[in-house]
Amino acid sequence: MQRQITIGLTLVGAALLVAGCHTDMWQQPKVKAQQKSEFQGFSNKAASRPLVAGTVPRGKMKLDEAFFTGFQDGKLVKELPIQVDEMVLKRGQERFDIFCSHCHGRNGDGKGMINQRGLVLVRPPASYHSDRLRNMPIGHFYDVITNGFGVMYRQAPGVEPADRWAIAAYIRVLQTAMNGNLNDVPSDERSKLEASAGKPSIADAATPGEEKS
Ligand code: HEC
């Protein structure tokens, strides 16, 4: 009996071992990255081929012109192509502080740390609080982030399209905050503001570590 059990177990073990030894999937013909190909049709002998022209990853077709370019029919869009809520503005603020504020300043006045430390080779970063940029269609900000502007290089690689719009929306917040007056404030909030007059406001807000002159 003992012997039969031993033989049985040995057979089961052997069967498992043999079953695990299939190498046909492992050894199938295939190309690895950077490998050479002898295929006659590939004149440069590279096994990895570039994508066929016009290939678009599934679900990544950029059909929405306004959303992906900031233009519609050749004109800068005047309205945000996304829904704006508090979350979007907070996201815009966060992304702006990360990707733009070191040049443009936390409040968009163009006096970020890079400007203050004299690292301005050709032109200083723009202030967003000029009449021209206040009246600029919002698509312009998307376009500047996407393609750069003058000496400013493009920020597209670090900032996804939806985040570019969030930043554009937040630039409008900065513009409004820096150019508002008391009439823009709801009447019940005005008295609070008047009471705090003389205390620091957003216009004085400095980038942390910034030296006030
Ligand atoms: C490395 C510094 C730097 C960074 C980072 C930077 N900018 Fe700029 N930006 C500049 C400079 C410099 C100019 C002025 C370019 C010129 O006039 O040639 C400028 C100009 C602009 C303008 C004005 C365009 C116009 O019509 O005059 C906008 C809007 C702008 N930047 C938005 C952004 C946003 C949004 C970000 C972040 C996503 C950003 N920038 C990041 C340096 C920077």
Side-chain angles (χ1 to χ4, degrees), residues 83-134:
Q83 284 280 335
V84 188
D85 56 20
E86 199 184 336
M87 289 263 290
V88 168
L89 294 180
K90 287 226 161 95
R91 174 83 181 167
Q93 178 179 35
E94 184 200 53
R95 297 291 106 181
F96 176 85
D97 286 350
I98 294 170
F99 288 100
C100 323
S101 69
H102 46 296
C103 288
H104 288 279
R106 293 282 282 270
N107 59 16
D109 62 2
K111 298 193 183 124
M113 192 55 81
I114 292 201
N115 189 355
Q116 290 187 58
R117 288 291 177 266
L119 299 174
V120 175
L121 298 175
V122 189
R123 265 191 295 277
S127 162
Y128 302 144
H129 309 303
S130 63
D131 283 344
R132 183 179 67 84
L133 285 180
R134 267 200 298 271

Side-chain angles (χ1 to χ4, degrees), residues 59-79:
K60 293 281 166 68
M61 188 88 161
K62 295 185 173 173
L63 290 174
D64 188 339
E65 187 194 353
F67 180 78
F68 285 108
T69 67
F71 287 87
Q72 185 76 58
D73 304 325
K75 290 207 182 98
L76 287 168
V77 300
K78 296 202 165 126
E79 297 206 344

Side-chain angles (χ1 to χ4, degrees), residues 14-96:
L16 284 175
L17 269 178
V18 171
C21 282
H22 270 282
T23 54
D24 41 356
M25 290 293 276
W26 182 251
Q27 289 175 346
Q28 65 185 313
K30 62 177 180 285
V31 293
K32 292 182 181 158
Q34 314 295 341
Q35 217 172 30
K36 195 172 162 188
S37 168
E38 295 305 333
F39 181 60
Q40 295 296 314
F42 297 164
S43 56
N44 66 0
K45 300 253 179 267
S48 308
R49 312 305 301 169
L51 295 179
V52 175
T55 307
V56 178
R58 204 184 169 97
K60 293 281 166 68
M61 188 88 161
K62 295 185 173 173
L63 290 174
D64 188 339
E65 187 194 353
F67 180 78
F68 285 108
T69 67
F71 287 87
Q72 185 76 58
D73 304 325
K75 290 207 182 98
L76 287 168
V77 300
K78 296 202 165 126
E79 297 206 344
L80 280 168
I82 54 166
Q83 284 280 335
V84 188
D85 56 20
E86 199 184 336
M87 289 263 290
V88 168
L89 294 180
K90 287 226 161 95
R91 174 83 181 167
Q93 178 179 35
E94 184 200 53
R95 297 291 106 181
F96 176 85

Side-chain angles (χ1 to χ4, degrees), residues 133-195:
L133 285 180
R134 267 200 298 271
N135 295 320
M136 196 56 97
I138 195 144
H140 180 61
F141 299 99
Y142 183 93
D143 181 51
V144 172
I145 301 173
T146 309
N147 298 311
F149 181 91
V151 295
M152 176 187 141
Y153 54 84
R154 62 202 278 267
Q155 305 290 315
V159 190
E160 293 287 315
D163 285 341
R164 293 175 215 164
W165 287 115
I167 292 176
Y170 181 65
I171 290 178
R172 283 284 190 250
V173 171
L174 292 176
Q175 290 177 325
T176 310
M178 294 288 279
N179 295 284
N181 65 36
L182 211 53
N183 296 333
D184 301 327
V185 181
S187 48
D188 50 331
E189 294 286 326
R190 264 183 227 172
S191 49
K192 285 191 214 159
L193 264 186
E194 277 160 343

